[in-house]
Each structure stands twice: as C-alpha cells, then as structure tokens.
Amino acid sequence: MKRFLALFVAVSVMLVVGIAFAGTAKDNTGCGLGTMLWKESSSADGSTVSQSLQATTNGTFGNQTFGITSGTSDCKQPAKFVENKKLQEFVSSNLDTIAKEIAIGRGETLDAMAELMEISAPQRADFYAKLQTGFDKIFTSEKVEYAAVVDSIAAAYSQI
C-alpha cells in the first residue's frame, strides 16, 4: 500500500509540474517534426519525457534545419534568409574575385557584397580591413567551400 501511495504521489507531482510548465516545451526543444509529433501525445506537454522525445526526434531526423529554411514543421523562416541565399549565390559565383579583393582590401565585388550584406558606407572601410587582416581565417585552403567563406565573412562583420 505504501508503494502504491508513493507511486500515486510521484505521478501526481509529475503531472502538476508538467501542467505548470506546459507551453515551455517549444521554448526548450524548438520547432520541428518531434515537437509537432509529441506535443499532442501527452497531457503533460512540458514533462521531461515529452520534451526528451521531442528533442530526440528533432535531432534524429535533423528536420529543424529543413523546417527553418523552408518555413515548415511549425518553424518560421528567418527574415534575412532570402538575403543570405543571395549572398551565398554571390559569393559562390565570385569566390576568386572576392579572395583577390579581400587580399588587397578593396574592390567593386567587395562593394557589391557589402551592399548585399546591408553594411553602411561608413562601416565598409573597417569591414574591409577586418576581412584583409583575417584573410587566412576566411580562405583556409585553396579548396575552401563558399559556405565556409560566407560564415567567416559574417563572423568578421559581427566583430566590427
């Protein structure tokens, strides 16, 4: 009888805590297939078990990235996504020229890239100087991928 009472109290506490934190599950696990699948499966949406199932499913299927980029799976596409896509296409198409212009610290292609990144004219000199001094970190090898270059350029911009 004591075991039954202890089990009853433990389950009751878990349900009360789960209900008290209902609605925080998405804050913890984010959007994605797992969040959508498991949020309705239990009355205790905020329970550790439910959130673990959500996170595990999201991580196993890797669908949060797809959801974020496509705006599906209860995710919202970032407002800057279109601009990022344009920037990636631009860098991909002009990678060699960008490398040359970063090395010398100026150029029309860099100006166009700064325009795509919405960097104001007064900030561009600092931005170009940051890129020039960080050239080795941006172009880590001859076979560097453009996506890595974009990430490094964005990181350099965040430091000015």
Side-chain angles (χ1 to χ4, degrees), residues 49-67:
V49 173
S50 176
Q51 290 186 31
S52 295
L53 290 171
Q54 292 174 15
T56 302
T57 304
N58 285 341
T60 301
F61 292 101
N63 54 47
Q64 280 183 314
T65 304
F66 174 75

Side-chain angles (χ1 to χ4, degrees), residues 8-133:
F8 177 76
V9 169
V11 170
S12 297
V13 168
M14 288 174 57
L15 286 175
V16 169
V17 170
I19 291 170
F21 293 104
T24 61
K26 189 172 180 181
D27 294 338
N28 290 337
T29 61
C31 60
L33 180 64
T35 305
M36 293 178 65
L37 283 176
W38 298 106
K39 74 178 178 184
E40 301 297 331
S41 66
S42 165
S43 62
D45 182 39
S47 72
T48 303
V49 173
S50 176
Q51 290 186 31
S52 295
L53 290 171
Q54 292 174 15
T56 302
T57 304
N58 285 341
T60 301
F61 292 101
N63 54 47
Q64 280 183 314
T65 304
F66 174 75
I68 291 168
T69 56
S70 65
T72 59
S73 300
D74 214 16
C75 300
K76 294 179 182 166
Q77 194 175 43
K80 293 275 186 180
F81 180 76
V82 174
E83 289 85 7
N84 288 341
K85 187 173 181 180
K86 287 180 185 176
L87 178 63
Q88 290 182 357
E89 289 173 0
F90 182 81
V91 171
S92 173
S93 299
N94 299 291
L95 193 59
D96 291 337
T97 305
I98 289 171
K100 290 174 186 172
E101 291 184 3
I102 286 176
I104 61 173
R106 58 182 163 73
E108 291 179 8
T109 307
L110 278 183
D111 290 339
M113 185 178 73
E115 190 74 32
L116 282 173
M117 294 177 71
E118 299 177 357
I119 298 172
S120 66
Q123 289 183 307
R124 290 183 185 177
D126 291 339
F127 176 59
Y128 298 160
K130 187 75 174 173
L131 293 177
Q132 188 176 23
T133 58

